[in-house]
Short mmCIF file of all heavy atoms in Angstrom, two decimals:
data_model
loop_
_atom_site.label_atom_id
_atom_site.label_comp_id
_atom_site.label_asym_id
_atom_site.label_seq_id
_atom_site.Cartn_x
_atom_site.Cartn_y
_atom_site.Cartn_z
N TYR A 144 23.85 19.61 -18.95
CA TYR A 144 22.94 20.20 -17.96
C TYR A 144 21.61 20.46 -18.59
O TYR A 144 20.57 20.21 -17.95
CB TYR A 144 23.58 21.46 -17.39
CG TYR A 144 22.75 22.11 -16.31
CD1 TYR A 144 22.79 21.60 -15.02
CD2 TYR A 144 21.96 23.19 -16.60
CE1 TYR A 144 22.03 22.17 -14.03
CE2 TYR A 144 21.16 23.78 -15.58
CZ TYR A 144 21.20 23.25 -14.31
OH TYR A 144 20.39 23.82 -13.31
N GLN A 145 21.58 20.89 -19.84
CA GLN A 145 20.34 21.17 -20.56
C GLN A 145 19.54 19.90 -20.64
O GLN A 145 18.33 19.92 -20.52
CB GLN A 145 20.63 21.76 -21.93
CG GLN A 145 19.34 22.11 -22.65
CD GLN A 145 19.63 22.77 -24.00
OE1 GLN A 145 20.78 22.98 -24.39
NE2 GLN A 145 18.59 23.08 -24.75
N ASP A 146 20.16 18.76 -20.95
CA ASP A 146 19.45 17.49 -21.04
C ASP A 146 18.79 17.12 -19.75
O ASP A 146 17.65 16.67 -19.73
CB ASP A 146 20.42 16.35 -21.47
CG ASP A 146 20.87 16.41 -22.90
OD1 ASP A 146 20.39 17.30 -23.62
OD2 ASP A 146 21.75 15.65 -23.22
N PHE A 147 19.48 17.33 -18.65
CA PHE A 147 18.96 17.07 -17.31
C PHE A 147 17.69 17.94 -17.05
O PHE A 147 16.65 17.46 -16.60
CB PHE A 147 19.99 17.34 -16.26
CG PHE A 147 19.44 17.25 -14.86
CD1 PHE A 147 19.23 16.04 -14.28
CD2 PHE A 147 19.18 18.43 -14.13
CE1 PHE A 147 18.75 15.94 -12.99
CE2 PHE A 147 18.67 18.34 -12.86
CZ PHE A 147 18.46 17.12 -12.29
N GLU A 148 17.79 19.23 -17.41
CA GLU A 148 16.65 20.07 -17.22
C GLU A 148 15.46 19.71 -18.08
O GLU A 148 14.30 19.74 -17.58
CB GLU A 148 17.05 21.54 -17.48
CG GLU A 148 17.85 22.18 -16.45
CD GLU A 148 18.10 23.68 -16.72
OE1 GLU A 148 18.20 24.09 -17.85
OE2 GLU A 148 18.08 24.41 -15.69
N GLU A 149 15.68 19.31 -19.27
CA GLU A 149 14.59 18.84 -20.14
C GLU A 149 13.93 17.58 -19.60
O GLU A 149 12.70 17.47 -19.55
CB GLU A 149 15.15 18.63 -21.54
CG GLU A 149 15.43 19.84 -22.29
CD GLU A 149 16.00 19.57 -23.71
OE1 GLU A 149 16.08 18.37 -24.13
OE2 GLU A 149 16.45 20.52 -24.38
N SER A 150 14.77 16.65 -19.08
CA SER A 150 14.18 15.45 -18.48
C SER A 150 13.36 15.78 -17.27
O SER A 150 12.26 15.25 -17.09
CB SER A 150 15.33 14.43 -18.08
OG SER A 150 16.04 14.03 -19.24
N ALA A 151 13.91 16.64 -16.41
CA ALA A 151 13.17 17.03 -15.16
C ALA A 151 11.86 17.73 -15.52
O ALA A 151 10.84 17.40 -14.91
CB ALA A 151 14.03 17.94 -14.33
N ARG A 152 11.84 18.60 -16.47
CA ARG A 152 10.62 19.31 -16.88
C ARG A 152 9.59 18.29 -17.34
O ARG A 152 8.40 18.35 -17.03
CB ARG A 152 10.92 20.35 -17.94
CG ARG A 152 11.16 21.72 -17.41
CD ARG A 152 11.13 22.78 -18.51
NE ARG A 152 12.00 22.55 -19.64
CZ ARG A 152 13.31 22.88 -19.70
NH1 ARG A 152 13.83 23.48 -18.68
NH2 ARG A 152 14.02 22.63 -20.73
N PHE A 153 10.07 17.34 -18.25
CA PHE A 153 9.15 16.33 -18.70
C PHE A 153 8.52 15.52 -17.57
O PHE A 153 7.31 15.34 -17.52
CB PHE A 153 9.84 15.35 -19.67
CG PHE A 153 9.09 14.16 -20.01
CD1 PHE A 153 8.07 14.19 -20.93
CD2 PHE A 153 9.31 12.92 -19.34
CE1 PHE A 153 7.31 13.06 -21.27
CE2 PHE A 153 8.57 11.83 -19.62
CZ PHE A 153 7.57 11.88 -20.57
N LEU A 154 9.31 15.10 -16.61
CA LEU A 154 8.82 14.29 -15.51
C LEU A 154 7.86 15.11 -14.67
O LEU A 154 6.82 14.57 -14.25
CB LEU A 154 9.97 13.79 -14.66
CG LEU A 154 10.88 12.75 -15.34
CD1 LEU A 154 12.11 12.44 -14.53
CD2 LEU A 154 10.09 11.45 -15.61
N LEU A 155 8.15 16.33 -14.38
CA LEU A 155 7.29 17.12 -13.51
C LEU A 155 5.94 17.39 -14.18
O LEU A 155 4.91 17.68 -13.52
CB LEU A 155 7.99 18.43 -13.09
CG LEU A 155 9.10 18.19 -12.12
CD1 LEU A 155 9.86 19.50 -11.86
CD2 LEU A 155 8.63 17.62 -10.79
N GLN A 156 5.91 17.38 -15.51
CA GLN A 156 4.67 17.56 -16.26
C GLN A 156 3.78 16.32 -16.19
O GLN A 156 2.58 16.44 -16.48
CB GLN A 156 4.96 17.90 -17.74
CG GLN A 156 5.52 19.26 -17.95
CD GLN A 156 5.96 19.47 -19.40
OE1 GLN A 156 5.98 18.54 -20.19
NE2 GLN A 156 6.43 20.67 -19.71
N GLN A 157 4.31 15.21 -15.75
CA GLN A 157 3.58 13.97 -15.69
C GLN A 157 2.81 13.76 -14.40
O GLN A 157 2.04 12.79 -14.30
CB GLN A 157 4.49 12.74 -15.93
CG GLN A 157 5.36 12.86 -17.17
CD GLN A 157 4.61 13.13 -18.44
OE1 GLN A 157 3.70 12.43 -18.76
NE2 GLN A 157 4.94 14.20 -19.12
N THR A 158 3.04 14.61 -13.40
CA THR A 158 2.47 14.41 -12.12
C THR A 158 2.18 15.73 -11.40
O THR A 158 2.89 16.72 -11.69
CB THR A 158 3.47 13.64 -11.19
OG1 THR A 158 2.87 13.44 -9.91
CG2 THR A 158 4.80 14.31 -10.98
N PRO A 159 1.14 15.76 -10.57
CA PRO A 159 0.86 16.99 -9.84
C PRO A 159 1.72 17.10 -8.57
O PRO A 159 1.77 18.14 -7.93
CB PRO A 159 -0.62 16.86 -9.44
CG PRO A 159 -0.83 15.39 -9.35
CD PRO A 159 0.00 14.80 -10.44
N LEU A 160 2.53 16.08 -8.31
CA LEU A 160 3.35 16.04 -7.06
C LEU A 160 4.66 16.89 -7.33
O LEU A 160 5.06 17.04 -8.43
CB LEU A 160 3.76 14.60 -6.79
CG LEU A 160 2.64 13.62 -6.50
CD1 LEU A 160 3.19 12.20 -6.35
CD2 LEU A 160 1.87 14.05 -5.27
N SER A 161 5.20 17.37 -6.23
CA SER A 161 6.54 17.95 -6.16
C SER A 161 7.43 17.02 -5.37
O SER A 161 7.46 17.12 -4.12
CB SER A 161 6.45 19.37 -5.55
OG SER A 161 5.95 20.27 -6.40
N PRO A 162 8.16 16.13 -6.08
CA PRO A 162 8.95 15.16 -5.32
C PRO A 162 9.96 15.83 -4.35
O PRO A 162 10.60 16.80 -4.69
CB PRO A 162 9.66 14.35 -6.38
CG PRO A 162 8.81 14.60 -7.60
CD PRO A 162 8.22 15.96 -7.42
N ARG A 163 10.02 15.29 -3.14
CA ARG A 163 10.96 15.75 -2.10
C ARG A 163 12.09 14.79 -1.88
O ARG A 163 13.09 15.16 -1.36
CB ARG A 163 10.20 16.01 -0.79
CG ARG A 163 9.26 17.16 -0.92
CD ARG A 163 8.61 17.62 0.37
NE ARG A 163 9.01 16.90 1.57
CZ ARG A 163 8.21 16.66 2.61
NH1 ARG A 163 6.95 17.04 2.55
NH2 ARG A 163 8.65 15.98 3.64
N VAL A 164 11.85 13.52 -2.18
CA VAL A 164 12.80 12.46 -1.97
C VAL A 164 12.88 11.56 -3.16
O VAL A 164 11.86 11.29 -3.85
CB VAL A 164 12.34 11.60 -0.69
CG1 VAL A 164 13.35 10.45 -0.50
CG2 VAL A 164 12.27 12.42 0.52
N GLY A 165 14.05 11.06 -3.46
CA GLY A 165 14.26 10.06 -4.53
C GLY A 165 14.83 8.79 -3.97
O GLY A 165 15.65 8.87 -3.15
N ILE A 166 14.33 7.64 -4.39
CA ILE A 166 14.85 6.36 -3.89
C ILE A 166 15.21 5.52 -5.12
O ILE A 166 14.41 5.36 -6.00
CB ILE A 166 13.77 5.60 -3.08
CG1 ILE A 166 13.30 6.45 -1.89
CG2 ILE A 166 14.31 4.25 -2.63
CD1 ILE A 166 12.13 5.79 -1.19
N ILE A 167 16.42 5.04 -5.15
CA ILE A 167 16.90 4.18 -6.22
C ILE A 167 16.82 2.74 -5.62
O ILE A 167 17.49 2.45 -4.65
CB ILE A 167 18.31 4.56 -6.69
CG1 ILE A 167 18.32 5.91 -7.22
CG2 ILE A 167 18.78 3.51 -7.68
CD1 ILE A 167 19.67 6.46 -7.53
N LEU A 168 16.00 1.91 -6.26
CA LEU A 168 15.79 0.55 -5.77
C LEU A 168 16.71 -0.44 -6.47
O LEU A 168 16.90 -0.36 -7.68
CB LEU A 168 14.33 0.17 -5.98
CG LEU A 168 13.28 1.03 -5.34
CD1 LEU A 168 11.90 0.63 -5.72
CD2 LEU A 168 13.49 1.02 -3.81
N GLY A 169 17.31 -1.31 -5.71
CA GLY A 169 18.10 -2.39 -6.25
C GLY A 169 17.34 -3.63 -6.49
O GLY A 169 16.09 -3.70 -6.28
N SER A 170 18.01 -4.68 -6.89
CA SER A 170 17.33 -5.97 -7.17
C SER A 170 16.57 -6.44 -5.94
O SER A 170 17.01 -6.38 -4.82
CB SER A 170 18.42 -7.00 -7.51
OG SER A 170 19.11 -6.65 -8.65
N GLY A 171 15.32 -6.85 -6.23
CA GLY A 171 14.51 -7.46 -5.18
C GLY A 171 13.72 -6.38 -4.34
O GLY A 171 13.00 -6.75 -3.49
N LEU A 172 13.94 -5.12 -4.66
CA LEU A 172 13.30 -4.13 -3.83
C LEU A 172 12.16 -3.42 -4.59
O LEU A 172 11.55 -2.48 -4.06
CB LEU A 172 14.32 -3.03 -3.40
CG LEU A 172 15.43 -3.58 -2.50
CD1 LEU A 172 16.47 -2.48 -2.23
CD2 LEU A 172 14.87 -4.12 -1.20
N GLY A 173 11.82 -3.85 -5.75
CA GLY A 173 10.78 -3.26 -6.58
C GLY A 173 9.40 -3.28 -5.94
O GLY A 173 8.55 -2.47 -6.29
N ARG A 174 9.20 -4.14 -4.98
CA ARG A 174 7.86 -4.22 -4.35
C ARG A 174 7.50 -3.01 -3.56
O ARG A 174 6.35 -2.78 -3.29
CB ARG A 174 7.82 -5.47 -3.46
CG ARG A 174 7.72 -6.73 -4.20
CD ARG A 174 7.44 -7.92 -3.39
NE ARG A 174 7.34 -9.08 -4.23
CZ ARG A 174 7.08 -10.24 -3.78
NH1 ARG A 174 6.94 -10.43 -2.47
NH2 ARG A 174 6.96 -11.30 -4.56
N ILE A 175 8.47 -2.22 -3.24
CA ILE A 175 8.16 -0.97 -2.50
C ILE A 175 7.22 -0.08 -3.34
O ILE A 175 6.44 0.69 -2.79
CB ILE A 175 9.41 -0.21 -2.10
CG1 ILE A 175 9.10 0.83 -0.98
CG2 ILE A 175 10.07 0.47 -3.29
CD1 ILE A 175 10.27 1.45 -0.37
N THR A 176 7.19 -0.23 -4.64
CA THR A 176 6.34 0.55 -5.47
C THR A 176 4.86 0.23 -5.24
O THR A 176 4.03 1.06 -5.47
CB THR A 176 6.65 0.37 -7.02
OG1 THR A 176 6.46 -1.02 -7.35
CG2 THR A 176 8.06 0.77 -7.34
N GLU A 177 4.61 -0.94 -4.69
CA GLU A 177 3.27 -1.32 -4.34
C GLU A 177 2.72 -0.56 -3.15
O GLU A 177 1.47 -0.47 -2.91
CB GLU A 177 3.19 -2.80 -4.03
CG GLU A 177 3.53 -3.69 -5.27
CD GLU A 177 3.73 -5.15 -4.95
OE1 GLU A 177 3.40 -5.55 -3.79
OE2 GLU A 177 4.16 -5.87 -5.84
N GLU A 178 3.62 0.08 -2.37
CA GLU A 178 3.23 0.87 -1.26
C GLU A 178 2.94 2.32 -1.58
O GLU A 178 2.49 3.10 -0.71
CB GLU A 178 4.36 0.81 -0.20
CG GLU A 178 4.72 -0.59 0.28
CD GLU A 178 3.57 -1.27 0.98
OE1 GLU A 178 2.86 -0.61 1.74
OE2 GLU A 178 3.37 -2.49 0.74
N LEU A 179 3.28 2.72 -2.79
CA LEU A 179 3.08 4.16 -3.20
C LEU A 179 1.62 4.47 -3.42
O LEU A 179 0.81 3.60 -3.87
CB LEU A 179 3.85 4.37 -4.55
CG LEU A 179 5.32 4.29 -4.49
CD1 LEU A 179 5.93 4.48 -5.88
CD2 LEU A 179 5.97 5.31 -3.55
N THR A 180 1.25 5.70 -3.13
CA THR A 180 -0.06 6.23 -3.49
C THR A 180 0.14 7.35 -4.49
O THR A 180 1.27 7.84 -4.63
CB THR A 180 -0.81 6.79 -2.25
OG1 THR A 180 0.01 7.82 -1.65
CG2 THR A 180 -1.07 5.66 -1.19
N GLU A 181 -0.92 7.78 -5.15
CA GLU A 181 -0.83 8.81 -6.17
C GLU A 181 0.24 8.53 -7.18
O GLU A 181 1.03 9.40 -7.56
CB GLU A 181 -0.62 10.20 -5.52
CG GLU A 181 -1.63 10.59 -4.50
CD GLU A 181 -1.35 11.95 -3.85
OE1 GLU A 181 -1.16 12.91 -4.64
OE2 GLU A 181 -1.32 12.01 -2.62
N VAL A 182 0.27 7.31 -7.67
CA VAL A 182 1.34 6.82 -8.52
C VAL A 182 1.18 7.18 -9.99
O VAL A 182 0.11 7.10 -10.54
CB VAL A 182 1.43 5.27 -8.43
CG1 VAL A 182 2.56 4.77 -9.30
CG2 VAL A 182 1.64 4.86 -6.99
N THR A 183 2.31 7.63 -10.57
CA THR A 183 2.44 7.74 -12.01
C THR A 183 3.67 6.92 -12.42
O THR A 183 4.73 7.09 -11.83
CB THR A 183 2.72 9.22 -12.43
OG1 THR A 183 1.63 10.03 -11.97
CG2 THR A 183 2.92 9.38 -13.92
N ALA A 184 3.51 5.97 -13.28
CA ALA A 184 4.59 5.16 -13.78
C ALA A 184 4.93 5.58 -15.24
O ALA A 184 4.05 5.74 -16.06
CB ALA A 184 4.18 3.68 -13.79
N ILE A 185 6.25 5.76 -15.46
CA ILE A 185 6.68 6.23 -16.76
C ILE A 185 7.76 5.31 -17.28
O ILE A 185 8.72 5.02 -16.58
CB ILE A 185 7.25 7.66 -16.67
CG1 ILE A 185 6.22 8.56 -16.03
CG2 ILE A 185 7.65 8.18 -18.03
CD1 ILE A 185 6.75 9.92 -15.62
N ASP A 186 7.56 4.75 -18.50
CA ASP A 186 8.59 3.88 -19.08
C ASP A 186 9.83 4.73 -19.39
O ASP A 186 9.71 5.86 -19.86
CB ASP A 186 8.06 3.28 -20.36
CG ASP A 186 6.97 2.22 -20.18
OD1 ASP A 186 6.91 1.68 -19.05
OD2 ASP A 186 6.20 2.01 -21.08
N TYR A 187 11.00 4.13 -19.08
CA TYR A 187 12.24 4.83 -19.41
C TYR A 187 12.32 5.29 -20.80
O TYR A 187 12.81 6.39 -21.09
CB TYR A 187 13.44 3.89 -19.11
CG TYR A 187 13.72 3.60 -17.63
CD1 TYR A 187 14.77 2.75 -17.35
CD2 TYR A 187 13.05 4.21 -16.62
CE1 TYR A 187 15.06 2.42 -16.00
CE2 TYR A 187 13.36 3.90 -15.30
CZ TYR A 187 14.38 3.04 -15.00
OH TYR A 187 14.70 2.78 -13.72
N SER A 188 11.79 4.53 -21.72
CA SER A 188 11.90 4.84 -23.15
C SER A 188 11.10 6.12 -23.48
O SER A 188 11.37 6.75 -24.50
CB SER A 188 11.40 3.72 -24.03
OG SER A 188 10.03 3.41 -23.73
N ASP A 189 10.21 6.54 -22.61
CA ASP A 189 9.45 7.77 -22.81
C ASP A 189 10.10 9.02 -22.24
O ASP A 189 9.66 10.10 -22.49
CB ASP A 189 8.02 7.62 -22.20
CG ASP A 189 7.18 6.60 -22.88
OD1 ASP A 189 7.44 6.27 -24.10
OD2 ASP A 189 6.25 6.05 -22.27
N ILE A 190 11.16 8.80 -21.46
CA ILE A 190 11.82 9.95 -20.78
C ILE A 190 12.95 10.48 -21.63
O ILE A 190 13.89 9.74 -21.98
CB ILE A 190 12.33 9.52 -19.39
CG1 ILE A 190 11.20 8.94 -18.56
CG2 ILE A 190 13.02 10.68 -18.66
CD1 ILE A 190 11.67 8.28 -17.22
N LEU A 191 12.86 11.72 -21.98
CA LEU A 191 13.89 12.40 -22.75
C LEU A 191 15.26 12.22 -22.12
O LEU A 191 15.41 12.42 -20.91
CB LEU A 191 13.61 13.89 -22.85
CG LEU A 191 12.32 14.32 -23.56
CD1 LEU A 191 12.09 15.80 -23.35
CD2 LEU A 191 12.42 13.99 -25.01
N HIS A 192 16.22 11.85 -22.92
CA HIS A 192 17.65 11.78 -22.50
C HIS A 192 17.92 10.71 -21.44
O HIS A 192 19.01 10.75 -20.81
CB HIS A 192 18.19 13.13 -22.04
CG HIS A 192 17.87 14.28 -22.95
ND1 HIS A 192 18.29 14.35 -24.27
CD2 HIS A 192 17.05 15.35 -22.77
CE1 HIS A 192 17.81 15.44 -24.83
NE2 HIS A 192 17.06 16.09 -23.96
N PHE A 193 17.01 9.84 -21.18
CA PHE A 193 17.20 8.86 -20.12
C PHE A 193 17.94 7.65 -20.71
O PHE A 193 17.65 7.16 -21.79
CB PHE A 193 15.82 8.42 -19.60
CG PHE A 193 15.90 8.00 -18.15
CD1 PHE A 193 15.98 8.92 -17.10
CD2 PHE A 193 15.83 6.64 -17.82
CE1 PHE A 193 16.00 8.50 -15.76
CE2 PHE A 193 15.85 6.24 -16.48
CZ PHE A 193 15.94 7.17 -15.47
N PRO A 194 18.94 7.08 -19.97
CA PRO A 194 19.72 5.97 -20.43
C PRO A 194 18.79 4.71 -20.63
O PRO A 194 17.84 4.51 -19.93
CB PRO A 194 20.77 5.71 -19.44
CG PRO A 194 20.37 6.49 -18.22
CD PRO A 194 19.40 7.56 -18.65
N ARG A 195 19.14 3.91 -21.60
CA ARG A 195 18.41 2.68 -21.86
C ARG A 195 19.02 1.56 -21.05
O ARG A 195 20.24 1.40 -21.03
CB ARG A 195 18.47 2.35 -23.35
CG ARG A 195 17.88 3.41 -24.26
CD ARG A 195 16.40 3.68 -23.97
NE ARG A 195 15.83 4.75 -24.82
CZ ARG A 195 15.40 5.89 -24.30
NH1 ARG A 195 15.40 6.13 -23.01
NH2 ARG A 195 14.91 6.80 -25.08
N VAL A 196 18.15 0.74 -20.50
CA VAL A 196 18.60 -0.40 -19.69
C VAL A 196 18.37 -1.68 -20.56
O VAL A 196 17.34 -1.84 -21.16
CB VAL A 196 17.73 -0.52 -18.41
CG1 VAL A 196 18.13 -1.75 -17.61
CG2 VAL A 196 17.91 0.73 -17.55
N LYS A 197 19.41 -2.54 -20.58
CA LYS A 197 19.33 -3.72 -21.40
C LYS A 197 19.10 -4.96 -20.61
O LYS A 197 19.05 -6.06 -21.16
CB LYS A 197 20.63 -3.81 -22.21
CG LYS A 197 20.81 -2.70 -23.24
CD LYS A 197 22.07 -2.84 -23.97
CE LYS A 197 22.37 -1.86 -25.05
NZ LYS A 197 21.86 -0.64 -25.12
N ASP A 198 18.89 -4.84 -19.34
CA ASP A 198 18.63 -6.07 -18.50
C ASP A 198 17.19 -6.48 -18.71
O ASP A 198 16.22 -5.81 -18.46
CB ASP A 198 18.79 -5.59 -17.00
CG ASP A 198 18.61 -6.80 -16.05
OD1 ASP A 198 18.09 -7.84 -16.45
OD2 ASP A 198 18.99 -6.61 -14.89
N PRO A 199 17.02 -7.78 -19.17
CA PRO A 199 15.67 -8.24 -19.48
C PRO A 199 14.81 -8.43 -18.25
O PRO A 199 13.58 -8.53 -18.34
CB PRO A 199 15.92 -9.61 -20.15
CG PRO A 199 17.26 -10.00 -19.65
CD PRO A 199 18.08 -8.75 -19.43
N TYR A 200 15.37 -8.39 -17.06
CA TYR A 200 14.62 -8.58 -15.80
C TYR A 200 14.25 -7.21 -15.11
O TYR A 200 13.64 -7.19 -14.12
CB TYR A 200 15.36 -9.45 -14.82
CG TYR A 200 15.68 -10.81 -15.41
CD1 TYR A 200 16.96 -11.15 -15.84
CD2 TYR A 200 14.67 -11.75 -15.46
CE1 TYR A 200 17.22 -12.38 -16.38
CE2 TYR A 200 14.88 -12.99 -16.01
CZ TYR A 200 16.13 -13.33 -16.49
OH TYR A 200 16.36 -14.54 -17.04
N HIS A 201 14.78 -6.13 -15.71
CA HIS A 201 14.50 -4.79 -15.16
C HIS A 201 13.18 -4.31 -15.69
O HIS A 201 12.85 -4.40 -16.86
CB HIS A 201 15.62 -3.86 -15.60
CG HIS A 201 15.67 -2.61 -14.82
ND1 HIS A 201 14.84 -1.55 -15.09
CD2 HIS A 201 16.50 -2.21 -13.79
CE1 HIS A 201 15.09 -0.59 -14.24
NE2 HIS A 201 16.11 -0.99 -13.45
N GLN A 202 12.39 -3.64 -14.83
CA GLN A 202 11.06 -3.16 -15.25
C GLN A 202 11.20 -1.92 -16.20
O GLN A 202 10.27 -1.65 -16.91
CB GLN A 202 10.27 -2.67 -14.03
CG GLN A 202 9.74 -3.80 -13.19
CD GLN A 202 8.81 -3.28 -12.12
OE1 GLN A 202 8.40 -2.14 -12.09
NE2 GLN A 202 8.45 -4.18 -11.23
N CYS A 203 12.31 -1.28 -16.17
CA CYS A 203 12.55 -0.08 -17.01
C CYS A 203 11.42 0.97 -16.85
O CYS A 203 10.88 1.45 -17.85
CB CYS A 203 12.68 -0.50 -18.49
SG CYS A 203 14.10 -1.55 -18.76
N ARG A 204 11.11 1.25 -15.64
CA ARG A 204 9.98 2.17 -15.36
C ARG A 204 10.35 3.04 -14.15
O ARG A 204 10.94 2.57 -13.14
CB ARG A 204 8.74 1.34 -15.04
CG ARG A 204 7.48 2.09 -15.13
CD ARG A 204 6.27 1.20 -15.02
NE ARG A 204 6.17 0.41 -16.31
CZ ARG A 204 5.95 -0.89 -16.37
NH1 ARG A 204 5.76 -1.58 -15.26
NH2 ARG A 204 5.88 -1.49 -17.51
N LEU A 205 10.05 4.32 -14.24
CA LEU A 205 10.26 5.26 -13.18
C LEU A 205 8.87 5.51 -12.52
O LEU A 205 7.90 5.72 -13.26
CB LEU A 205 10.84 6.55 -13.70
CG LEU A 205 11.19 7.58 -12.64
CD1 LEU A 205 12.50 8.21 -12.95
CD2 LEU A 205 10.11 8.68 -12.56
N TYR A 206 8.84 5.48 -11.20
CA TYR A 206 7.59 5.73 -10.49
C TYR A 206 7.67 7.06 -9.74
O TYR A 206 8.64 7.29 -9.09
CB TYR A 206 7.36 4.58 -9.46
CG TYR A 206 7.03 3.26 -10.08
CD1 TYR A 206 8.06 2.41 -10.47
CD2 TYR A 206 5.71 2.88 -10.33
CE1 TYR A 206 7.81 1.18 -11.10
CE2 TYR A 206 5.47 1.68 -10.95
CZ TYR A 206 6.47 0.84 -11.31
OH TYR A 206 6.21 -0.39 -11.90
N LEU A 207 6.61 7.83 -9.88
CA LEU A 207 6.45 9.03 -9.07
C LEU A 207 5.19 8.79 -8.22
O LEU A 207 4.20 8.37 -8.73
CB LEU A 207 6.20 10.23 -10.01
CG LEU A 207 7.36 10.54 -10.97
CD1 LEU A 207 6.88 11.56 -12.03
CD2 LEU A 207 8.52 11.07 -10.19
N GLY A 208 5.38 9.06 -6.93
CA GLY A 208 4.20 8.86 -6.05
C GLY A 208 4.56 9.31 -4.62
O GLY A 208 5.59 9.94 -4.38
N CYS A 209 3.66 8.93 -3.70
CA CYS A 209 3.86 9.24 -2.27
C CYS A 209 4.13 7.99 -1.51
O CYS A 209 3.43 6.99 -1.72
CB CYS A 209 2.62 9.99 -1.72
SG CYS A 209 2.39 11.60 -2.42
N LEU A 210 5.06 8.01 -0.57
CA LEU A 210 5.32 6.90 0.28
C LEU A 210 5.16 7.46 1.73
O LEU A 210 5.87 8.43 2.16
CB LEU A 210 6.74 6.39 0.08
CG LEU A 210 7.18 5.18 0.94
CD1 LEU A 210 6.23 3.96 0.62
CD2 LEU A 210 8.58 4.85 0.65
N ASP A 211 4.17 6.90 2.41
CA ASP A 211 3.85 7.40 3.77
C ASP A 211 3.57 8.93 3.76
O ASP A 211 4.01 9.66 4.66
CB ASP A 211 4.95 7.09 4.77
CG ASP A 211 4.99 5.62 5.09
OD1 ASP A 211 3.95 4.95 5.02
OD2 ASP A 211 6.13 5.10 5.50
N GLY A 212 2.88 9.37 2.73
CA GLY A 212 2.54 10.76 2.60
C GLY A 212 3.62 11.74 2.08
O GLY A 212 3.37 12.92 1.91
N VAL A 213 4.80 11.21 1.83
CA VAL A 213 5.90 12.06 1.33
C VAL A 213 6.06 11.87 -0.15
O VAL A 213 6.21 10.74 -0.60
CB VAL A 213 7.23 11.64 2.08
CG1 VAL A 213 8.36 12.57 1.50
CG2 VAL A 213 7.07 11.82 3.54
N PRO A 214 5.95 12.94 -0.88
CA PRO A 214 6.06 12.80 -2.38
C PRO A 214 7.54 12.53 -2.79
O PRO A 214 8.45 13.00 -2.19
CB PRO A 214 5.64 14.18 -2.95
CG PRO A 214 5.58 15.08 -1.80
CD PRO A 214 5.63 14.29 -0.53
#
């Protein structure tokens, strides 16, 4: 639980937004990030306690932003 809290604190320090919704995108859905406004992109490797992805086709990036005005 402490790891989760540390990760969340780190992420919230990276953006002025207060996220209300989270979306996990599958293969082929990454283009939705192009629709975001107020975007902050964070490499997974920079996020404390975040699992490492070994898929060479994965962007390995978390996006914080607004979609249709919703953070």
Side-chain angles (χ1 to χ4, degrees):
Y144 184 79
Q145 183 178 357
D146 289 352
F147 173 77
E148 282 188 326
E149 288 177 6
S150 297
R152 268 194 304 275
F153 168 80
L154 291 171
L155 290 173
Q156 290 172 354
Q157 309 307 305
T158 181
L160 300 174
S161 283
R163 293 187 2 214
V164 176
I166 302 172
I167 298 171
L168 302 174
S170 298
L172 298 174
R174 289 189 176 179
I175 197 169
T176 61
E177 297 170 8
E178 303 297 320
L179 296 175
T180 58
E181 302 180 54
V182 179
T183 299
I185 304 166
D186 291 336
Y187 287 176
S188 61
D189 293 336
I190 303 171
L191 297 170
H192 313 297
F193 208 76
R195 301 298 178 244
V196 177
K197 295 180 177 22
D198 182 346
Y200 300 104
H201 195 281
Q202 288 187 10
C203 299
R204 197 168 290 134
L205 183 138
Y206 291 86
L207 299 167
C209 293
L210 183 61
D211 289 333
V213 179

